């Protein structure tokens, strides 16, 4: 297998968002390339088959439940309140991609049995911007340098920088964090300090200060930079900022909305760019491009670059894939199946157009497939946008008004 093709097979892809900031993230050490075997995913707190969307408060609750240190003393976030004020606002904004991206990272960490404090690292490093680049060299959601990225199996080729793929980079970050987490006896504070400064600097500091990882006092370690010392405080303050926000009730109400559940999707070989995939799948091309800055100019297969087969897109927003095209797409791209029996399809009386009452678990793709029509037609006939969220009990027109049911 050629090097380019192999890299293309490894490339996953990504999601997107917010404002760049912070020092270089991924430690410059090339060590710890070998990853700890991933732990079995813990059971999801909801149905066995997840739906295409979930409530934003569920994402926040899942984050809180995964914290290693959920306590927030009075005034814990005071110093960093202004510095990180935009983070909760972005999570609350319905027109921002931050909350779905945050949910994607939280899920990856929970499945690896890692503390969800680590989901706050992209806020510090990139402002949750998958396309963020630093003049010093780091790039992407997790601000990896090229050497560390390659050491953790992130493909970097002509025309494809996997650091800009939230899927590629998040998979690598979770592997690295899991290695550090084990190396430092499960202490999340030492782990994030090592993520920032490199594991050997932290190991050296522990040795110089006569400490061992299992009962270390990170705040007493000497010989480390102020940035590394502050890293723990920043992440804890960010967590407490959400818990102690002045407008907390208003903020929680803003989270109380359907949020797309992001996942990686295999794109068929005959799709050359994001716009073509958006037309075929009934999605928003601009949103797909924001979620996938790794594809420069929206081109999925570029000359001289490996073709990355996966896109990170909202699960269940996959519309318009039918027939042989559905077979060409990975099973991950198919919306989550309904968790309960849907009512029988309304075939319509003679001369009457068919209608469908949305059941729990239904989405545009499953409904369109059921009736043998295109998703684009279903949405157009009901005046719905590509990102419309269907609600149980909602009545949909299947056929063009005046048309006879087949």
């Amino acid at each position: 297998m050629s090097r380019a093709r192999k890299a293309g097979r490894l490339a996953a892809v990504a999601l997107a968002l917010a404002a760049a900031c912070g020092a270089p993230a991924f430690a410059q050490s090339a060590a710890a390339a070998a990853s700890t075997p991933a732990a079995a995913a813990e059971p999801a707190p909801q149905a066995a088959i997840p739906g295409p969307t979930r409530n934003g408060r569920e994402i926040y609750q899942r984050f809180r439940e995964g914290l290693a240190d959920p306590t927030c003393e009075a005034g814990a976030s005071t110093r960093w309140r202004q510095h990180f004020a935009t983070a909760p606002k972005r999570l609350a904004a319905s027109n921002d991609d931050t909350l779905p991206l945050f949910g994607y990272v939280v899920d990856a960490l929970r499945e690896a049995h890692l503390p969800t404090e680590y989901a706050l690292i992209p806020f510090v490093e990139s402002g949750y911007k998958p396309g963020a680049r630093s003049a010093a060299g780091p790039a992407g959601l997790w601000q990896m340098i090229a050497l560390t990225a390659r050491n953790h199996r992130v493909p970097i080729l002509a025309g494809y920088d996997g650091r800009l793929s939230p899927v590629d980079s998040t998979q690598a970050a979770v592997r690295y964090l899991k290695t550090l987490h084990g190396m430092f006896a499960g202490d999340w504070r030492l782990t994030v300090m090592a993520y920032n400064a490199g594991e050997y600097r932290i190991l050296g500091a522990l040795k110089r200060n006569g400490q061992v990882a299992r009962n270390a006092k990170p705040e007493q370690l000497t010989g480390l930079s102020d940035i590394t010392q502050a890293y723990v405080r920043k992440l804890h303050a960010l967590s407490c900022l959400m818990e102690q926000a002045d407008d907390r009730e208003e903020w929680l109400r803003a989270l109380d909305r359907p949020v797309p559940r992001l996942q990686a999707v295999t794109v068929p070989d005959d799709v050359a760019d994001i716009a073509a995939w958006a037309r075929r799948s009934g999605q928003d091309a601009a949103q797909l491009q924001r979620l996938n800055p790794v594809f420069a100019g929206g081109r999925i297969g570029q000359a001289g670059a490996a073709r990355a087969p996966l896109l990170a897109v909202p699960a269940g927003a996959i519309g318009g894939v039918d027939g042989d095209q559905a077979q060409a797409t990975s099973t991950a791209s198919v919306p989550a199946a309904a968790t309960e029996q849907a009512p029988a399809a309304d075939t319509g009386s003679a001369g009457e157009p068919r209608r469908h009452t949305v059941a729990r678990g239904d989405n545009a793709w499953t409904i369109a497939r059921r009736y043998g029509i295109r998703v684009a037609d279903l949405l157009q006939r009901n005046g719905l946008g590509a990102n419309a969220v269907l609600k149980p009990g909602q009545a949909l027109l299947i056929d063009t008004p005046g048309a006879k049911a087949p």
Side-chain angles (χ1 to χ4, degrees):
M1 181 182 296
S2 69
R3 178 174 177 270
R5 185 59 179 165
K6 183 177 180 181
R9 293 285 297 277
L10 287 174
V13 180
L15 312 76
L17 182 68
C21 63
F26 247 67
Q28 297 190 17
S29 167
S35 60
T36 303
E42 64 184 85
Q46 51 182 152
I49 302 177
T53 64
R54 55 182 162 176
N55 190 280
R57 292 186 67 161
E58 178 194 331
I59 295 174
Y60 177 64
Q61 182 62 29
R62 191 160 166 76
F63 163 74
R64 291 293 304 172
E65 290 172 352
L67 290 171
D69 183 7
T71 60
C72 288
E73 63 279 9
S77 63
T78 302
R79 179 177 178 183
W80 301 104
R81 184 178 296 273
Q82 184 174 358
H83 188 81
F84 292 118
T86 57
K89 291 178 181 178
R90 288 201 182 100
L91 291 173
S94 60
N95 61 345
D96 201 311
D97 298 317
T98 307
L99 188 53
L101 279 168
F102 182 67
Y104 176 80
V105 173
V106 167
D107 287 346
L109 292 168
R110 294 297 302 271
E111 288 167 7
H113 298 283
L114 292 173
T116 48
E117 275 92 351
Y118 303 155
L120 301 172
I121 291 175
F123 274 123
V124 174
E125 296 297 342
S126 69
Y128 259 93
K129 271 189 175 179
R133 286 188 180 274
S134 168
L141 197 68
W142 299 86
Q143 288 291 280
M144 301 183 192
I145 63 169
L147 176 62
T148 306
R150 289 192 174 99
N151 285 338
H152 290 83
R153 307 199 296 272
V154 176
I156 301 178
L157 302 167
Y160 186 89
D161 186 341
R163 295 176 297 171
L164 304 181
S165 160
V167 172
D168 281 347
S169 61
T170 298
Q171 287 176 346
V174 170
R175 282 194 295 267
Y176 184 44
L177 287 166
K178 194 167 184 67
T179 298
L180 295 175
H181 191 76
M183 182 181 296
F184 292 102
D187 189 316
W188 76 271
R189 301 165 301 169
L190 293 174
T191 297
V192 298
M193 291 170 76
Y195 181 91
N196 174 259
E199 57 268 39
Y200 292 123
R201 283 197 179 96
I202 306 305
L203 289 171
L206 287 171
K207 185 176 181 179
R208 286 193 305 274
N209 288 270
Q211 297 188 31
V212 292
R214 64 177 176 272
N215 58 7
K217 297 180 179 178
E219 69 280 0
Q220 296 180 9
L221 292 178
T222 59
L224 297 172
S225 71
D226 292 341
I227 292 175
T228 300
Q229 289 283 10
Y231 215 83
V232 173
R233 297 193 296 273
K234 286 181 181 180
L235 295 185
H236 185 60
L238 251 172
S239 172
C240 291
L241 182 58
M242 301 176 197
E243 190 72 10
Q244 299 175 336
D246 293 335
D247 59 347
R248 178 169 169 75
E249 291 306 314
E250 181 182 345
W251 183 73
L252 288 174
R253 284 195 296 271
L255 296 188
D256 191 9
R257 67 183 193 270
V259 177
R261 188 188 300 270
L262 301 180
Q263 66 180 22
V265 174
T266 300
V267 177
D269 289 341
D270 63 339
V271 176
D273 56 60
I274 284 177
W277 175 242
R279 289 192 297 271
R280 182 178 296 191
S281 59
Q283 296 183 64
D284 182 344
Q287 182 190 39
L288 288 180
Q289 184 63 69
R290 291 196 309 272
L291 294 176
N292 297 280
V294 66
F295 297 115
R299 297 183 297 278
I300 296 175
Q302 301 178 57
R307 179 184 177 83
L310 300 177
L311 278 175
V313 297
I318 311 292
V321 183
D322 49 271
D324 57 349
Q325 183 55 53
Q327 295 301 317
T329 306
S330 75
T331 55
S333 71
V334 180
T339 56
E340 57 186 42
Q341 185 71 30
D346 180 0
T347 57
S349 305
E352 292 293 326
R354 294 171 296 174
R355 297 180 181 276
H356 177 85
T357 301
V358 177
R360 183 181 177 187
D362 274 353
N363 56 64
W365 187 85
T366 57
I367 295 171
R369 183 177 64 169
R370 185 175 187 179
Y371 289 93
I373 63 174
R374 296 173 60 244
V375 170
D377 291 337
L378 176 68
L379 298 176
Q380 190 273 330
R381 289 166 191 170
N382 291 276
L384 299 174
N387 296 321
V389 176
L390 303 183
K391 299 179 180 179
Q394 183 177 354
L396 297 179
L397 185 65
I398 301 301
D399 301 307
T400 304
K404 294 182 179 181

